[in-house]
Every structure is written in structure tokens, then in C-alpha cells.
Amino acid sequence: MPQIFHHSTNTIARVSIFGAVFILAAIIWAAYEINGSSYVTQAFVPREQPVQFSHKHHVGDDGIDCRYCHTSVEKSSFAGIPPTKTCMNCHSQLFASSDYLAIVRDSWREDKPIVWKRVHDLPDYVYFNHSIHVKKGVGCSTCHGRVDLMPLVYQVASLQMDWCLTCHRNPEKFVRPRDQIYNMEWEPPPDQNTQGRKLVEQYSISNSIVLTRCSICHR
Amino acid sequence: MSRAKKSKGKRQSCGSGRSRPPYCNFAFCLTICCFLFLSCRQDMQNQPRYEPLEQSSFFNDGRSSRQLVAGTVPRGALRENIFQPAAKIGAGRGQIGQAATGQPANSQPGNNQAGNVSAPGAMPAGLNDFPMPVTAETLARGQEQYNISCTPCHGLLGYGDGMVVQRGFPRPPSYHTEQLRSSPNSHYYDVITNGFGRMWNYADQVEPDMRWAVIAYIRALQISQNARLDDVPQDQLKNLRTGGQTR
């Protein structure tokens, strides 16, 4: 019976088995990268909003505190999105006839809420709470980045489970003194490891075994 | 009905007996495949409940949180809260504010400009006291809340030169005028709760107890901006002369 395959096919077969390992690895790597990419997580993708509200103007230029608008961030799980009334505190006088604010004025006059597009949205099976993080020394900019420089808000974190866990495993790398929570410019000092450990002690933050229990976030 | 029967039958054949029949493996694989299919649905991501402020397609106005029905009072709102002058929430109960503060008023009745002060006699007028003891901690909380809610317009020291004013908002009066220094606390409480002229109210941004803390802090500002050298305690005088740079 004549040989169907040429002798060289042996080599090709061997190489392709060997290559398959790499191809498989490449596929897994690609899947991992895609899963963490901003295409999937929507990180760094600014959302268009109905009103061109800019944190850069209000926070960066005018120095308004986060809590002027996000009033419940220290008290509840939900940070709070300001009602139209809050905008009107200032914009009943300021830029009171600007086209940019037409939607805000209509909303106030007709008592219809402004429909903001959500930027951060965890799946409903995850429990998240702002107040505990703020209380225990995790600042806004650790999770939300430099909001004071963002004309339109975007996510800077993937919001995936491993992102939460990097911090829950080593909170001392991220915690800051409580009076710095709203400081957008805070950067970890060079001796963050010792400082952080002290704060973890001071704020009696639980250890990483407790903080990585599934039931902390999936309740 | 037929579903229940089937699963019952399956459980019996798989669970009992030591050697599993081969179709159990097949069933196992099938289950795994089913899970793979299920994972494409978003039921767990978007569960049938509303998150705060989530849009609703059920109600006509699109809000999931319902507005109060006119004339209703939320449970607990009538609770006797020493921070909330009772006169504001129900007629004939004006005593509570007074009872809690005890001392008689020590200043003239508030200025008469206050066009939108609620019905005459509604606030314990002329009261210059607080419904709680003012401690250093109260002042610290007051400072925090003042810096959040009031500085944008009234400025850090209360001169009415906040950042938003510099961008064109009408300039509020300085807190250090004779008139505002002699206005009673109740006037300040009223301004925060009901607004004043072009200043809108801060009732939903500043809780009742924080309003009193803010007032305490404004009083501290007023004292600080009119302090004389002999108001400074003896042991602090040295600091003052060196510009506070003794550290």
C-alpha cells in the first residue's frame, strides 16, 4: 500500500501538536484580556448625558464638595444622585437662561426627573455599600479616579470581582486618613505600607480572611 | 406534574445503588450543558427589583420611588425630635423648642426683612440658644457641614465671597454685619429650612441636627472675625505673636 502522507508530515504533525499548546495559551490569554478590557467592562468610556454636566467645572474649578450633591454617600449604600432642586440652588440665578441648562429648567418646571445615564453598575447579585468604605478610610479617588478632571464621568476601575478583592486582600495599600477622603489629589505616600497598617489598626478594619468571604459581597 | 414525576424517578435511580447506571454520566453532562445555556441570561445581573432612583416602566411618571401623597405625613416625622422645633411640623406644639432650650431669649426679635419666614410665631422667635449643648465636637461637625453646603456662596469665613459668587451668583450678605450678628439663631434655622430671597432652602441637604451645628459654627466664625487681643487665652498669646509657627 503506497504511503498517503509524505514523510515530512510527521514533522508538521509534531510541530502542530507543539504549536497547539501555544495557540491554546494565546486563546486563553486573549479571552482573559478581552474580559478585562474596557470593551467588556466599559471602563474609560465616557457616557453621553442629557445635560452637559461637568465635574471638571463644578468640582475642579469651583471646588464644590462631593457631598453637596452626593448627600448620602456617608450614610447609606447609595451615594445619591442630586435632584433637580440641587442644580436650581445655583442655576436659578447662574446661567439662568443658558441653553445648556434648558433641560434642567424644564425638569424643574414640569416636575419631571432628569434621566441621567448610569455609569457604574454592578450586577444585582453584588452588594456594595459606600458608607462603610468612606468610614474606613477609602477615598473617592481610589475607586473613581480623578473625577475633578472629568468633563464626563467614566469608570476607571473594571468593577470586576478581582478588582474588589485586590483591595479586600490588602486594604493597607489603599486606606488613607479620614480627613483626606474627599481630597481628589491624594496619592499614597512613600511609606504607605506602614501608614496603611497603622490606619487599618486604628479603624479596626477586618482581616483579609473576613473581607474575602463570599457572603460579604454576595448576600 | 409530569416534571415532578420525572425528577423523582431520576433521583431514585442515581442516588441508590453503588454502581451508577451509565446514563447518569450523560445526565451530568447534560446538566453542565444546561448551565452553559443559562449563563447567557441576565436574570441575576438585573433582578426584578428597583435600585435607588432606577427608572420604572410601571408608573406613568417613570419614577420607581413614589412621591408622598399630598397631605400625608411620613411615619416618624412627628416624632418629638429636639432638633426639630416642633412648631414647624404641627401647630400648638411650639413649647418643645422652648422647653428644650430653657433659657430666655437674649436678643431682639429677628430682623423684619425676612419676607418668607413662615407664619408669625411659628418659630420660637428671639431664641438665641441651641437645643443641644454646643461642644467642640458640635463645632467640628458644623464646620464640616458648613464647608460642604454654605462655602460655595458664603465663603470659608462667611464674608459672602465664595467661589460660585465669583462666577456670577448674587453676593450674599456677610455674616459679620451688625444685623446678622444680632439676628437670633431661630432666624438662621429658618433661612436654612425655608430659604431666604434668592437663596433656596437647604432643608433636604442639611439634616435638622446639622442645621444647629452649622449655626453654632457660624456663631464661632462671627466671634472669630471680631475677636480682640484680650479674647485670646493667656497661654495662646505667644502663638499669636509668632504667627502660630511655634511648631
Side-chain angles (χ1 to χ4, degrees), chain B residues 15 24 26 51 62-63 69 72 90 101 110 125 130 149 157 167 178 180 186 195 221 224-225 228 236:
Chain B
C24 273
F26 177 70
E51 298 196 347
R63 291 182 235 214
V69 176
T72 52
T101 52
F130 292 88
S149 309
L157 293 177
R167 304 262 188 248
E178 202 40 55
L180 275 175
S186 53
L221 281 180
S224 77
Q225 297 304 300
R228 278 177 324 221
Q236 297 291 324

PDB file of all heavy atoms in Angstrom, chain B residues 15 24 26 51 62-63 69 72 90 101 110 125 130 149 157 167 178 180 186 195 221 224-225 228 236:
ATOM      1  N   GLY B  15     -29.341   7.974  42.890  1.00  0.00           N
ATOM      2  CA  GLY B  15     -28.884   8.067  44.272  1.00  0.00           C
ATOM      3  C   GLY B  15     -28.654   6.701  44.897  1.00  0.00           C
ATOM      4  O   GLY B  15     -27.647   6.473  45.555  1.00  0.00           O
ATOM      5  N   CYS B  24     -26.376   8.158  33.936  1.00  0.00           N
ATOM      6  CA  CYS B  24     -26.190   9.233  34.911  1.00  0.00           C
ATOM      7  C   CYS B  24     -25.074  10.167  34.473  1.00  0.00           C
ATOM      8  O   CYS B  24     -25.164  11.385  34.635  1.00  0.00           O
ATOM      9  CB  CYS B  24     -25.850   8.669  36.281  1.00  0.00           C
ATOM     10  SG  CYS B  24     -27.326   8.292  37.214  1.00  0.00           S
ATOM     11  N   PHE B  26     -24.316  10.755  31.470  1.00  0.00           N
ATOM     12  CA  PHE B  26     -24.889  11.531  30.383  1.00  0.00           C
ATOM     13  C   PHE B  26     -25.741  12.677  30.958  1.00  0.00           C
ATOM     14  O   PHE B  26     -25.621  13.825  30.557  1.00  0.00           O
ATOM     15  CB  PHE B  26     -25.740  10.618  29.502  1.00  0.00           C
ATOM     16  CG  PHE B  26     -26.421  11.349  28.389  1.00  0.00           C
ATOM     17  CD1 PHE B  26     -25.677  11.863  27.335  1.00  0.00           C
ATOM     18  CD2 PHE B  26     -27.791  11.544  28.405  1.00  0.00           C
ATOM     19  CE1 PHE B  26     -26.301  12.542  26.316  1.00  0.00           C
ATOM     20  CE2 PHE B  26     -28.413  12.223  27.394  1.00  0.00           C
ATOM     21  CZ  PHE B  26     -27.667  12.720  26.345  1.00  0.00           C
ATOM     22  N   GLU B  51     -33.340  49.391  42.031  1.00  0.00           N
ATOM     23  CA  GLU B  51     -32.271  50.011  42.786  1.00  0.00           C
ATOM     24  C   GLU B  51     -32.673  51.455  43.025  1.00  0.00           C
ATOM     25  O   GLU B  51     -33.588  51.959  42.376  1.00  0.00           O
ATOM     26  CB  GLU B  51     -30.974  49.928  41.980  1.00  0.00           C
ATOM     27  CG  GLU B  51     -30.596  48.488  41.755  1.00  0.00           C
ATOM     28  CD  GLU B  51     -29.170  48.313  41.320  1.00  0.00           C
ATOM     29  OE1 GLU B  51     -28.533  49.318  40.957  1.00  0.00           O
ATOM     30  OE2 GLU B  51     -28.701  47.171  41.344  1.00  0.00           O
ATOM     31  N   GLY B  62     -42.462  57.460  35.408  1.00  0.00           N
ATOM     32  CA  GLY B  62     -41.151  56.864  35.234  1.00  0.00           C
ATOM     33  C   GLY B  62     -40.325  56.749  36.498  1.00  0.00           C
ATOM     34  O   GLY B  62     -39.175  56.338  36.455  1.00  0.00           O
ATOM     35  N   ARG B  63     -40.894  57.139  37.637  1.00  0.00           N
ATOM     36  CA  ARG B  63     -40.121  57.055  38.875  1.00  0.00           C
ATOM     37  C   ARG B  63     -40.464  55.778  39.616  1.00  0.00           C
ATOM     38  O   ARG B  63     -41.642  55.442  39.757  1.00  0.00           O
ATOM     39  CB  ARG B  63     -40.478  58.217  39.804  1.00  0.00           C
ATOM     40  CG  ARG B  63     -40.008  59.554  39.296  1.00  0.00           C
ATOM     41  CD  ARG B  63     -40.364  60.622  40.304  1.00  0.00           C
ATOM     42  NE  ARG B  63     -41.144  61.655  39.649  1.00  0.00           N
ATOM     43  CZ  ARG B  63     -41.053  62.945  39.984  1.00  0.00           C
ATOM     44  NH1 ARG B  63     -40.267  63.329  40.930  1.00  0.00           N
ATOM     45  NH2 ARG B  63     -41.776  63.832  39.343  1.00  0.00           N
ATOM     46  N   VAL B  69     -48.040  61.223  48.954  1.00  0.00           N
ATOM     47  CA  VAL B  69     -49.376  61.680  48.621  1.00  0.00           C
ATOM     48  C   VAL B  69     -49.627  62.967  49.397  1.00  0.00           C
ATOM     49  O   VAL B  69     -49.265  63.057  50.575  1.00  0.00           O
ATOM     50  CB  VAL B  69     -50.414  60.615  49.010  1.00  0.00           C
ATOM     51  CG1 VAL B  69     -51.815  61.112  48.755  1.00  0.00           C
ATOM     52  CG2 VAL B  69     -50.154  59.331  48.246  1.00  0.00           C
ATOM     53  N   THR B  72     -50.067  63.718  53.432  1.00  0.00           N
ATOM     54  CA  THR B  72     -49.664  62.627  54.311  1.00  0.00           C
ATOM     55  C   THR B  72     -48.392  62.994  55.052  1.00  0.00           C
ATOM     56  O   THR B  72     -47.631  63.835  54.607  1.00  0.00           O
ATOM     57  CB  THR B  72     -49.416  61.328  53.521  1.00  0.00           C
ATOM     58  OG1 THR B  72     -48.513  61.616  52.458  1.00  0.00           O
ATOM     59  CG2 THR B  72     -50.694  60.770  52.990  1.00  0.00           C
ATOM     60  N   GLY B  90     -46.158  71.024  63.485  1.00  0.00           N
ATOM     61  CA  GLY B  90     -47.522  70.874  63.943  1.00  0.00           C
ATOM     62  C   GLY B  90     -47.896  72.057  64.807  1.00  0.00           C
ATOM     63  O   GLY B  90     -47.118  72.480  65.653  1.00  0.00           O
ATOM     64  N   THR B 101     -34.663  74.327  75.160  1.00  0.00           N
ATOM     65  CA  THR B 101     -33.565  75.272  75.239  1.00  0.00           C
ATOM     66  C   THR B 101     -33.523  75.982  76.589  1.00  0.00           C
ATOM     67  O   THR B 101     -32.478  76.463  76.988  1.00  0.00           O
ATOM     68  CB  THR B 101     -33.678  76.315  74.124  1.00  0.00           C
ATOM     69  OG1 THR B 101     -34.984  76.856  74.165  1.00  0.00           O
ATOM     70  CG2 THR B 101     -33.448  75.688  72.784  1.00  0.00           C
ATOM     71  N   GLY B 110     -35.976  88.850  65.549  1.00  0.00           N
ATOM     72  CA  GLY B 110     -35.233  88.853  64.294  1.00  0.00           C
ATOM     73  C   GLY B 110     -35.543  90.044  63.410  1.00  0.00           C
ATOM     74  O   GLY B 110     -36.504  90.781  63.623  1.00  0.00           O
ATOM     75  N   ALA B 125     -39.338  82.614  68.280  1.00  0.00           N
ATOM     76  CA  ALA B 125     -38.610  83.794  67.839  1.00  0.00           C
ATOM     77  C   ALA B 125     -37.748  84.344  68.948  1.00  0.00           C
ATOM     78  O   ALA B 125     -38.091  84.272  70.122  1.00  0.00           O
ATOM     79  CB  ALA B 125     -39.595  84.859  67.372  1.00  0.00           C
ATOM     80  N   PHE B 130     -29.393  76.879  71.766  1.00  0.00           N
ATOM     81  CA  PHE B 130     -29.372  75.673  70.955  1.00  0.00           C
ATOM     82  C   PHE B 130     -30.144  74.570  71.652  1.00  0.00           C
ATOM     83  O   PHE B 130     -30.183  74.529  72.881  1.00  0.00           O
ATOM     84  CB  PHE B 130     -27.927  75.233  70.724  1.00  0.00           C
ATOM     85  CG  PHE B 130     -27.167  76.186  69.867  1.00  0.00           C
ATOM     86  CD1 PHE B 130     -26.495  77.258  70.419  1.00  0.00           C
ATOM     87  CD2 PHE B 130     -27.162  76.037  68.492  1.00  0.00           C
ATOM     88  CE1 PHE B 130     -25.810  78.146  69.619  1.00  0.00           C
ATOM     89  CE2 PHE B 130     -26.481  76.930  67.695  1.00  0.00           C
ATOM     90  CZ  PHE B 130     -25.803  77.987  68.261  1.00  0.00           C
ATOM     91  N   SER B 149     -21.941  72.797  52.434  1.00  0.00           N
ATOM     92  CA  SER B 149     -23.187  73.360  51.908  1.00  0.00           C
ATOM     93  C   SER B 149     -23.169  74.862  51.755  1.00  0.00           C
ATOM     94  O   SER B 149     -23.933  75.383  50.960  1.00  0.00           O
ATOM     95  CB  SER B 149     -24.348  72.989  52.831  1.00  0.00           C
ATOM     96  OG  SER B 149     -24.360  71.624  53.078  1.00  0.00           O
ATOM     97  N   LEU B 157     -14.967  82.019  55.345  1.00  0.00           N
ATOM     98  CA  LEU B 157     -15.068  82.792  56.575  1.00  0.00           C
ATOM     99  C   LEU B 157     -16.412  83.498  56.705  1.00  0.00           C
ATOM    100  O   LEU B 157     -16.640  84.213  57.658  1.00  0.00           O
ATOM    101  CB  LEU B 157     -13.932  83.822  56.633  1.00  0.00           C
ATOM    102  CG  LEU B 157     -12.542  83.218  56.786  1.00  0.00           C
ATOM    103  CD1 LEU B 157     -11.491  84.305  56.748  1.00  0.00           C
ATOM    104  CD2 LEU B 157     -12.449  82.439  58.082  1.00  0.00           C
ATOM    105  N   ARG B 167     -18.191  83.482  40.296  1.00  0.00           N
ATOM    106  CA  ARG B 167     -18.601  83.133  38.934  1.00  0.00           C
ATOM    107  C   ARG B 167     -19.900  83.826  38.534  1.00  0.00           C
ATOM    108  O   ARG B 167     -20.457  83.518  37.506  1.00  0.00           O
ATOM    109  CB  ARG B 167     -18.795  81.634  38.797  1.00  0.00           C
ATOM    110  CG  ARG B 167     -17.620  80.819  39.176  1.00  0.00           C
ATOM    111  CD  ARG B 167     -16.816  80.398  37.969  1.00  0.00           C
ATOM    112  NE  ARG B 167     -15.796  79.470  38.374  1.00  0.00           N
ATOM    113  CZ  ARG B 167     -14.490  79.740  38.356  1.00  0.00           C
ATOM    114  NH1 ARG B 167     -14.062  80.889  37.905  1.00  0.00           N
ATOM    115  NH2 ARG B 167     -13.627  78.852  38.764  1.00  0.00           N
ATOM    116  N   GLU B 178     -23.567  93.993  61.495  1.00  0.00           N
ATOM    117  CA  GLU B 178     -24.217  94.157  62.796  1.00  0.00           C
ATOM    118  C   GLU B 178     -25.548  93.426  62.800  1.00  0.00           C
ATOM    119  O   GLU B 178     -25.908  92.740  63.748  1.00  0.00           O
ATOM    120  CB  GLU B 178     -24.404  95.660  63.056  1.00  0.00           C
ATOM    121  CG  GLU B 178     -24.570  96.017  64.503  1.00  0.00           C
ATOM    122  CD  GLU B 178     -23.645  95.207  65.406  1.00  0.00           C
ATOM    123  OE1 GLU B 178     -22.415  95.201  65.209  1.00  0.00           O
ATOM    124  OE2 GLU B 178     -24.182  94.545  66.311  1.00  0.00           O
ATOM    125  N   LEU B 180     -26.747  90.797  61.032  1.00  0.00           N
ATOM    126  CA  LEU B 180     -26.764  89.336  61.114  1.00  0.00           C
ATOM    127  C   LEU B 180     -26.161  88.846  62.418  1.00  0.00           C
ATOM    128  O   LEU B 180     -26.527  87.791  62.926  1.00  0.00           O
ATOM    129  CB  LEU B 180     -26.031  88.729  59.918  1.00  0.00           C
ATOM    130  CG  LEU B 180     -26.919  88.582  58.693  1.00  0.00           C
ATOM    131  CD1 LEU B 180     -26.132  88.102  57.496  1.00  0.00           C
ATOM    132  CD2 LEU B 180     -28.075  87.635  58.963  1.00  0.00           C
ATOM    133  N   SER B 186     -32.802  81.376  65.679  1.00  0.00           N
ATOM    134  CA  SER B 186     -34.005  80.893  65.010  1.00  0.00           C
ATOM    135  C   SER B 186     -34.098  81.454  63.594  1.00  0.00           C
ATOM    136  O   SER B 186     -34.587  80.786  62.696  1.00  0.00           O
ATOM    137  CB  SER B 186     -35.235  81.287  65.810  1.00  0.00           C
ATOM    138  OG  SER B 186     -35.209  82.673  66.055  1.00  0.00           O
ATOM    139  N   GLY B 195     -35.214  78.855  53.142  1.00  0.00           N
ATOM    140  CA  GLY B 195     -34.608  79.735  52.154  1.00  0.00           C
ATOM    141  C   GLY B 195     -34.846  81.190  52.497  1.00  0.00           C
ATOM    142  O   GLY B 195     -35.571  81.524  53.440  1.00  0.00           O
ATOM    143  N   LEU B 221     -17.628  81.609  63.815  1.00  0.00           N
ATOM    144  CA  LEU B 221     -16.993  82.474  62.816  1.00  0.00           C
ATOM    145  C   LEU B 221     -17.176  83.935  63.178  1.00  0.00           C
ATOM    146  O   LEU B 221     -16.250  84.737  63.086  1.00  0.00           O
ATOM    147  CB  LEU B 221     -17.603  82.219  61.429  1.00  0.00           C
ATOM    148  CG  LEU B 221     -17.146  81.004  60.644  1.00  0.00           C
ATOM    149  CD1 LEU B 221     -17.869  80.951  59.313  1.00  0.00           C
ATOM    150  CD2 LEU B 221     -15.647  81.062  60.415  1.00  0.00           C
ATOM    151  N   SER B 224     -14.932  84.845  65.887  1.00  0.00           N
ATOM    152  CA  SER B 224     -13.525  84.857  65.492  1.00  0.00           C
ATOM    153  C   SER B 224     -13.192  86.090  64.663  1.00  0.00           C
ATOM    154  O   SER B 224     -12.102  86.640  64.764  1.00  0.00           O
ATOM    155  CB  SER B 224     -13.192  83.600  64.707  1.00  0.00           C
ATOM    156  OG  SER B 224     -13.681  83.720  63.386  1.00  0.00           O
ATOM    157  N   GLN B 225     -14.127  86.545  63.842  1.00  0.00           N
ATOM    158  CA  GLN B 225     -13.821  87.675  62.976  1.00  0.00           C
ATOM    159  C   GLN B 225     -13.911  89.001  63.696  1.00  0.00           C
ATOM    160  O   GLN B 225     -13.569  90.043  63.143  1.00  0.00           O
ATOM    161  CB  GLN B 225     -14.761  87.687  61.763  1.00  0.00           C
ATOM    162  CG  GLN B 225     -14.611  86.485  60.862  1.00  0.00           C
ATOM    163  CD  GLN B 225     -13.184  86.312  60.385  1.00  0.00           C
ATOM    164  OE1 GLN B 225     -12.626  87.189  59.734  1.00  0.00           O
ATOM    165  NE2 GLN B 225     -12.565  85.181  60.722  1.00  0.00           N
ATOM    166  N   ARG B 228     -10.862  90.363  69.788  1.00  0.00           N
ATOM    167  CA  ARG B 228      -9.796  91.301  70.134  1.00  0.00           C
ATOM    168  C   ARG B 228      -8.689  90.536  70.831  1.00  0.00           C
ATOM    169  O   ARG B 228      -8.865  89.373  71.214  1.00  0.00           O
ATOM    170  CB  ARG B 228     -10.347  92.393  71.036  1.00  0.00           C
ATOM    171  CG  ARG B 228     -11.057  93.497  70.254  1.00  0.00           C
ATOM    172  CD  ARG B 228     -11.604  94.461  71.251  1.00  0.00           C
ATOM    173  NE  ARG B 228     -12.046  93.675  72.410  1.00  0.00           N
ATOM    174  CZ  ARG B 228     -13.165  93.914  73.064  1.00  0.00           C
ATOM    175  NH1 ARG B 228     -13.929  94.891  72.709  1.00  0.00           N
ATOM    176  NH2 ARG B 228     -13.514  93.167  74.096  1.00  0.00           N
ATOM    177  N   GLN B 236      -2.219  81.081  74.863  1.00  0.00           N
ATOM    178  CA  GLN B 236      -2.155  81.051  73.406  1.00  0.00           C
ATOM    179  C   GLN B 236      -1.535  82.333  72.834  1.00  0.00           C
ATOM    180  O   GLN B 236      -1.252  82.414  71.646  1.00  0.00           O
ATOM    181  CB  GLN B 236      -3.556  80.878  72.813  1.00  0.00           C
ATOM    182  CG  GLN B 236      -4.229  79.582  73.184  1.00  0.00           C
ATOM    183  CD  GLN B 236      -3.569  78.398  72.535  1.00  0.00           C
ATOM    184  OE1 GLN B 236      -3.113  78.472  71.396  1.00  0.00           O
ATOM    185  NE2 GLN B 236      -3.475  77.289  73.252  1.00  0.00           N
TER     186      GLN B 236
END
